[in-house]
């Protein structure tokens, strides 16, 4: 059984609660984590004799359910892996966004494309604050994760250029340079 709750109290993981253990492992965790997260969300049981017996009687059912969820996640993952999504945002001349692209925005882009993804499944360390191409992890199941590409641009045309590998911040026509669009630049003949 997985997960301990408290100093000496142990928890049994019901699957997917912690990434470093397997379903059924007995581990020690901090009181607050066990009580407020694992037990509250039904991801673990206290490792008492009664709960161990109950878990063993339900183990086959839990493993079958976990296998079914993993297979479903793998199917979705095959469709989603490597997909590219465009997010249009306003940005300054330097490419700095006016605001940011957060998990909520990425979920909206994925859902708009017909993928069923929740905010909890999108793994973004920090919000995206500049235009460019980004790789974002989507954890569909504790054992299944995929990478999607996010193209943050000011316009669909700019997104197309970025997808072709053009660094759009450096792309200026000679007319834009002559008009002073790039301070300190000289005219290109």
């Amino acid at each position: 059984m997985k997960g301990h709750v408290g100093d000496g109290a142990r928890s049994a993981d019901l699957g997917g609660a912690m990434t470093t253990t397997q379903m059924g492992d007995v581990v020690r965790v901090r009181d607050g984590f066990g009580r407020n997260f694992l037990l509250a969300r039904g991801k673990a049981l206290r490792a008492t004799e009664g709960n161990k017996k109950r878990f063993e009687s339900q183990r086959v059912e839990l493993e079958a359910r976990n296998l079914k969820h993993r297979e479903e996640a793998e199917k979705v993952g095959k469709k989603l892996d490597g997909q590219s999504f465009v997010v249009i945002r306003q940005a300054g001349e330097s490419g700095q966004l006016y605001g940011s692209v957060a998990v909520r925005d990425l979920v909206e882009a994925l859902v708009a494309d017909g993928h069923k993804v929740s905010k909890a499944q999108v793994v973004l360390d920090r919000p995206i604050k500049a235009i460019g191409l980004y790789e974002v992890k989507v954890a569909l199941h504790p054992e299944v994760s995929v990478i999607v590409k996010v193209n943050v641009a000011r316009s669909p045309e700019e997104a197309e250029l970025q997808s072709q590998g053009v660094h759009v911040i450096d792309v200026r026509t000679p007319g834009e340079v002559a008009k002073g669009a790039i301070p300190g630049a000289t005219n290109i003949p």
Side-chain angles (χ1 to χ4, degrees):
M1 309 201 132
K2 193 172 149 86
H4 277 266
V5 180
D7 292 332
R10 295 184 173 162
S11 292
D13 182 5
L14 299 178
M18 296 175 274
T19 57
T20 58
T21 59
Q22 296 295 316
M23 185 182 339
D25 290 352
V26 176
V27 296
R28 177 180 231 78
V29 296
R30 297 281 185 146
D31 286 340
F33 178 63
R35 182 178 54 249
N36 300 330
F37 180 75
L38 295 175
L39 294 175
R41 295 201 168 117
K43 295 186 177 283
L45 298 170
R46 285 190 184 271
T48 63
E49 288 304 315
N51 283 341
K52 286 180 184 179
K53 289 177 185 174
R54 190 175 107 209
F55 173 77
E56 288 303 324
S57 67
Q58 296 176 347
R59 185 182 193 115
V60 174
E61 177 186 322
L62 291 170
E63 287 178 350
R65 187 174 8 152
N66 185 40
L67 181 62
K68 179 183 172 195
H69 289 292
R70 189 179 84 214
E71 288 172 352
E72 289 172 3
E74 287 172 348
K75 287 179 188 175
V76 172
K78 285 180 184 175
K79 294 177 188 173
L80 193 58
D81 194 22
Q83 290 276 338
S84 183
F85 300 93
V86 176
V87 178
I88 304 298
R89 289 289 183 269
Q90 292 183 345
E93 287 294 318
S94 65
Q96 192 73 20
L97 295 179
Y98 299 135
S100 63
V101 176
V103 170
R104 175 180 41 89
D105 303 311
L106 299 176
V107 170
E108 288 174 4
L110 291 167
V111 169
D113 198 47
H115 300 285
K116 187 177 178 184
V117 177
S118 70
K119 288 195 310 188
Q121 293 175 312
V122 177
V123 181
L124 188 64
D125 294 334
R126 57 183 174 259
I128 297 170
K129 296 188 178 243
I131 62 172
L133 297 171
Y134 298 89
E135 290 186 343
V136 178
K137 181 178 174 182
V138 179
L140 300 169
H141 183 272
E143 300 170 17
V144 179
S145 62
V146 295
I147 301 292
V148 296
K149 293 178 178 69
V150 179
N151 187 343
V152 181
R154 293 178 276 212
S155 67
E157 296 80 22
E158 188 175 86
E160 180 63 32
L161 286 172
Q162 284 186 147
S163 67
Q164 295 171 3
V166 177
H167 187 61
V168 295
I169 300 300
D170 296 338
V171 177
R172 301 284 189 255
T173 64
E176 288 175 320
V177 174
K179 292 179 193 173
I182 302 175
T186 58
N187 194 358
I188 301 171

